[in-house]
Amino acid sequence: MTGTDAPADDQLLRRAALGVLVPGFVGTTLPDWLGDLLEEGMAGVWLFGHNVEDGEQVRALTTQVHARRPQALVAADEEGGTVTRLHHRDGSPWPGAWALGVADDVALTREVMAGLGGQLREVGIDVTAAPDADVNTEPANPVIGVRSFGPDPERVAGHVAAAVQGLGEAGVLACAKHFPGHGSTRVDSHLDLPVLDVDDEVLRARELVPFAAAVRAEVPMVMTGHLVVPGHGDLPATLNPSVLRVLREDLGFDGVICTDALDMAAVAQGWGRAGAAVLALAAGADLLCIGNPVHPGDYDAREDTLALADAVVAAVRRGDLDRERLLEADRRVAGLGRRQAERRAAPTGQTDAAAATRAGRAAAARAVRVTGQVPVLRSPDVTALGGGANIASGARQEVLTQGLARELAGRVVEPSVAVAGSPDRGGLVLVSDDHTDLGSDAGAEIARSLLARCDVLVHTGIRDLPDGDAPACVVRTFGGGAASAAAAADVLRGAR
């Protein structure tokens, strides 16, 4: 290489390195540094709840992004149910995956995801990290649960394919996740490194079935999971060429492989964000989701993005990352971006927000299951039975309690207030999910006391309550969000 060639090649590699990065950022408008990197060739941006005020603001933001680079991809985690960014304040107007699996109507799933996709398309979001293609066979799974369509691989496969098709009809790129499957794990990869402890036979007969269906449905993107598959070595799937070869060679996927966020502890703790970025590209990933600078919140988005680009270029120079592998990844992402820019330019009608809300509510109602006699409630107290929330979903019990109280003309009260009782109120409604702790601590004692005297329990999770703890009336929604809260309220009002 001559001296005059070296600067040109440096520029090519830097542009390619930026072309595989999709960072998060802080704020509700496009930062100057991010706009500049988009013009240099960066793949796109990833939106989180803190980037969203309302639809009008998001549309203005995405317009800024696409003005700087038309083929840039704007991505967000919008699954419906418990996981939403666009509706993070009030909850998703669409039911989540498990509720749709309970309803078990693939045409309904396709319609719901087309509706969800239409709202994303209207505000300029190109990619949603959905559908969740995990087969959730582990009730104690702390991070998937109701985000999955269920525990049966064939049922999950049918709904995954329908979701991919519905999103595609709306003009939005689906991204099936978390390959090769996060549903049978008991560790949250945001916090530590899970192990998918299955042999190859089970992997192919269960975990891979929905991903194969997504590939047949022509899903344009698949997201990797940060989890170890023992039969493929010690590296997590995101960094593991053996696992990614299964996706490419065995399942025949030729689209974009996107990583789960590189700031998650499952990979960041062992390899660092820069190390994980290089290993992921070397393993066969094309697009690097960097993550959310607000949470875990230990890095500056601009400095981190620049450092990752530099690390990728340096890895090529050292021989740790094949030059052609980087350029291949860049070409694949750029090609998808160009095709999406063409779709985005096509005219589309406006979505009817009220009609969408009604459709989501009706879809969520298909999943509601009631045990016992529905009581008469008059302006009840509504109380959440505590429990945390995983990082992917956020504080979802708040959505249910507030939604139920509003729909039933009641009020939200703290558990300690509910325990004391309020004779002037018209009943007690409890809300629980898969994070509700009914163990032996003081909080669990309060929960059991409330369960013993409540009028109805609205349970949003997939786990069964311990024997003897279930009240006389249980309404199961199999997911959170505004749609499921409204559907539960309809039951409690006797509207169903």
Side-chain angles (χ1 to χ4, degrees), residues 19-229:
V20 299
L21 298 181
V22 56
F25 63 96
V26 178
T28 55
T29 59
L30 184 68
D32 290 340
W33 67 267
L34 197 47
D36 292 342
L37 291 181
L38 285 166
E39 290 185 349
E40 287 187 54
M42 195 172 66
V45 300
W46 208 286
L47 302 185
F48 296 91
H50 56 82
N51 302 123
V52 173
E53 291 179 348
D54 55 36
E56 184 178 352
Q57 169 266 323
V58 174
R59 181 72 210 184
L61 171 58
T62 61
T63 298
Q64 288 180 299
V65 171
H66 294 135
R68 301 298 286 266
R69 187 170 191 243
Q71 64 267 46
L73 296 170
V74 179
D77 296 86
E78 195 73 30
E79 300 175 14
T82 63
V83 178
T84 177
R85 303 296 178 255
L86 195 57
H87 306 284
H88 69 97
R89 284 190 171 91
D90 300 317
S92 177
W94 305 101
W98 198 283
L100 292 170
V102 170
D104 199 22
D105 180 344
V106 293
L108 178 67
T109 295
R110 188 167 179 163
E111 291 169 10
V112 164
M113 297 309 286
L116 182 154
Q119 291 183 329
L120 295 177
R121 168 77 181 267
E122 188 170 322
V123 297
I125 294 175
D126 300 297
V127 181
T128 179
D132 191 304
D134 301 314
V135 181
N136 200 102
T137 60
E138 174 52 72
N141 192 316
V143 70
I144 304 301
V146 294
R147 300 168 63 196
S148 163
F149 287 103
D152 177 77
E154 294 298 338
R155 177 176 292 191
V156 173
H159 289 279
V160 164
V164 169
Q165 292 160 353
L167 289 167
E169 289 167 4
V172 172
L173 300 171
C175 179
K177 62 188 182 186
H178 307 82
F179 187 84
H182 210 317
S184 300
T185 64
R186 301 189 67 159
V187 172
D188 184 345
S189 50
H190 292 89
L191 307 176
D192 207 343
L193 180 58
V195 175
L196 180 61
D197 194 11
V198 299
D199 60 27
D200 197 58
E201 182 178 356
V202 172
L203 181 74
R204 293 178 183 279
R206 188 176 68 192
E207 269 71 26
L208 297 185
V209 171
F211 289 100
V215 172
R216 290 193 297 271
E218 300 183 347
V219 69
M221 192 179 296
V222 171
M223 177 178 283
T224 62
H226 300 329
L227 49 96
V228 172
V229 185

Side-chain angles (χ1 to χ4, degrees), residues 360-386:
R361 188 174 187 145
R366 297 272 298 274
V368 174
R369 300 292 184 267
V370 180
T371 302
Q373 183 69 35
V374 176
V376 176
L377 299 169
R378 297 184 180 87
S379 301
D381 286 342
V382 182
T383 300
L385 281 180

Side-chain angles (χ1 to χ4, degrees), residues 219-396:
V219 69
M221 192 179 296
V222 171
M223 177 178 283
T224 62
H226 300 329
L227 49 96
V228 172
V229 185
H232 291 264
D234 296 331
L235 285 172
T238 298
L239 317 180
N240 194 321
S242 176
V243 175
L244 298 192
R245 276 197 299 270
V246 172
L247 179 57
R248 287 286 187 219
E249 298 175 8
D250 296 2
L251 301 190
F253 180 63
D254 61 0
V256 170
I257 297 178
C258 176
T259 71
D260 207 345
L262 298 181
D263 61 2
M264 293 166 63
V267 294
Q269 283 183 350
W271 295 271
R273 288 187 290 276
V278 171
L279 286 172
L281 288 167
D286 304 304
L287 186 62
L288 306 180
C289 172
I290 299 175
N292 184 351
V294 169
H295 190 95
D298 59 349
Y299 61 92
D300 178 271
R302 175 184 178 276
E303 295 303 319
D304 193 67
T305 302
L306 293 172
L308 289 185
D310 290 344
V312 169
V313 172
V316 173
R317 293 296 186 212
R318 290 193 310 268
D320 293 338
L321 174 61
D322 182 73
R323 183 178 186 275
E324 182 52 37
R325 168 80 272 274
L326 172 61
L327 297 179
E328 174 193 47
D330 177 44
R331 286 193 298 269
R332 190 173 279 131
V333 173
L336 183 62
R338 284 192 297 271
R339 293 190 294 275
Q340 180 62 13
E342 293 171 0
R343 296 173 77 187
R344 196 188 312 119
T348 180
Q350 285 193 330
T351 60
D352 184 330
T357 297
R358 290 193 298 270
R361 188 174 187 145
R366 297 272 298 274
V368 174
R369 300 292 184 267
V370 180
T371 302
Q373 183 69 35
V374 176
V376 176
L377 299 169
R378 297 184 180 87
S379 301
D381 286 342
V382 182
T383 300
L385 281 180
N390 66 57
I391 294 171
S393 298
R396 296 275 69 87

